[in-house]
Amino acid sequence: MHLLTAFLVLIALARAEETCLTANQDDPYNQFGTKTAYIFANRGISNINRAHKIPGCQPIAFWSMNRAGSTNPEPDEIEALRNLTDLKLNIIDNYKNHLRNTNHQMCLADRILLEEWSWNPRHNLTFAGDLTSYGYITTQQLAQTWKSKFPELFTDNRHDYLFKYVNDKLFSTTFKAFTEGLFKAQADGLDLPKENDEKLLVPYKFCDAWKKNVDENKETLTQREIFESKLEYKQMITNISRRLGFNYDVEMATVRNMYQMCRYVKAWDVTHYSPWCTVFTREDLRRLEYAEDLETYYKYGPGNELNKKIGCSYIKDMISFFKNHTENEMVQQPRTVVHLTDAESILLAVNVMDGRVDTTPLTGDNYHTAAVQARKWTTSSIAPYNANLAAVLYKCTLNGNFQINDRYQVLFLENEIPMSLVGCRVGLCDWSHVSATLGTIADKCDLQSCNHATSPTYFSGISFALSVFILRFTTL
Ligand SMILES: *[C@@H]1O[C@H](CO)[C@@H](O)[C@H](O)[C@H]1NC(C)=O
Ligand SMILES: *[C@@H]1O[C@H](CO)[C@@H](O)[C@H](O)[C@H]1NC(C)=O
Ligand SMILES: *[C@@H]1O[C@H](CO)[C@@H](O)[C@H](O)[C@H]1NC(C)=O
Ligand SMILES: *[C@@H]1O[C@H](CO)[C@@H](O)[C@H](O)[C@H]1NC(C)=O
């Protein structure tokens, strides 16, 4: 009898799928889309830390977009995330009462981690959406990184700078962190030049055509929904539910809340385990990441042509700034333009530059294809917390570097890594090439057309999957 029991236990153990975040400490999966901590987004960065040093060239102007560091939950998330407290108690009960299905379980160390989690009451409406203390530090660090790479441009002269940001709570704190990173305690008294024109900084919030045809258009989420309605996705939810000890499937919304809490906590404190991440396998996290990629691809990326019409305003700003420097021999001020901005703006800007072009469009059906597994459009590496996009103008002596054939060069860096752009060499482009490509985009950039919300020309641009759908309806 004892032997039989032992035998049955052995069989059960052999078949059980135990997940154990705490046992996989050398290689946990930390690519969490728009809520990825910066430190996980650009692994291996030390290798390319010298990309900004270009023989025979001097940096003369710096233009950048910088996303804020990690933030607290938004007002509309607080209640659902706080409710995870009840879910946690149920999970602990399930394990205590041995109700669980032994084929799927969390290891003891993970369960203890989850048991010790509690909702922080400071995450209330007063502090909703604010920069966290870790986000404050990483923002200071990003500013210091820029200063150490480009000391010629990040000077102590306030007239060398122009800061652009929306003057709300998050961005005034981000400004404070960034400028403290540059000027330490002196930052406060400096009265640095700044602009707060929201229409230029977050054009998508003011573009009726984009709001109507993309943001509020249900078709934008079609591919994400197709992916989430796949059998595989439902099985993932079943597996997660069994792992938590439920013999029914939890709601999709519950899975989303657990994922949200998992990635928030990791972005607030990268040195510790995030308790809610214990409920997911690595493959679950990769699917959840792809679901968000599908959303950003159609909302801000190549999935809809209209996205380029808004993204162009950032390029226009950059080109006009660089023109001032290439068309005047005298040193122009400002020399350093710093936009403090959000994930949406960075995605839009990268998209309009063709910074992440996939030959196969991302869809809800092709997750398992090699093209999607190796996709360039990965939100985790484009728009993590503290995401940044920088363009640096260099002036070169033509005989100083045999590879350079234009006196002015522009280096494009995405999260400090040289961007791979057509017609350039590892992120370094001739100014004449930049003028011909991005300059044309800037010249054609006209946000006025945003107000023709129903213009049929916008429909024609909507990408393949969507246009098929819309054509069917407009021709009826
Ligand atoms: C939170 O839980 C309460 C009580 O169970 C429920 O009434 C409420 O709808 C939940 N809120 C959200 C946003 O899930
Ligand atoms: C949020 O928490 C802080 C500190 O615990 C408290 O001072 C504040 O009144 C709370 N705000 C709300 C809206 O409950
Ligand atoms: C669900 O778990 C089973 C093992 O019990 C595994 O074979 C399957 O791949 C899992 N499915 C998903 C979608 O994670
Ligand atoms: C470029 O120079 C013009 C004229 O001096 C100025 O009005 C404009 O603001 C400058 N643009 C940028 C982006 O610095």
Side-chain angles (χ1 to χ4, degrees), residues 162 164 317 320-321 324 332 334 337:
L162 176 57
K164 301 190 181 190
D317 188 85
S320 122
F321 172 57
N324 283 5
Q332 300 289 305
V337 173

Side-chain angles (χ1 to χ4, degrees), residues 396-416:
C396 308
T397 45
L398 284 178
N399 52 7
N401 182 332
F402 66 94
Q403 285 186 311
I404 304 274
N405 41 37
D406 190 338
R407 205 152 69 94
Y408 291 103
Q409 298 285 317
V410 184
L411 177 68
F412 290 96
L413 299 170
E414 189 191 30
N415 298 324
E416 300 174 61

Side-chain angles (χ1 to χ4, degrees), residues 324-335:
N324 283 5
H325 287 271
T326 52
E327 287 167 7
N328 293 290
E329 279 302 316
M330 305 267 291
V331 170
Q332 300 289 305
Q333 285 176 319
R335 300 201 282 168

Side-chain angles (χ1 to χ4, degrees), residues 180-207:
E180 271 178 26
L182 296 179
F183 306 108
K184 305 281 181 303
Q186 281 102 58
D188 248 359
L190 272 181
D191 190 24
L192 291 155
K194 40 181 164 302
E195 283 177 11
N196 309 102
D197 187 346
E198 289 196 31
K199 286 209 164 112
L200 294 177
L201 290 164
V202 278
Y204 63 90
K205 288 193 179 162
F206 298 91
C207 180

Side-chain angles (χ1 to χ4, degrees), residues 280-297:
F280 301 108
T281 64
R282 189 184 191 85
E283 193 44 49
D284 296 344
L285 294 171
R286 286 167 46 81
R287 282 192 207 97
L288 293 161
E289 183 190 18
Y290 185 59
E292 192 183 27
D293 283 348
L294 283 173
E295 181 165 341
T296 61
Y297 185 84

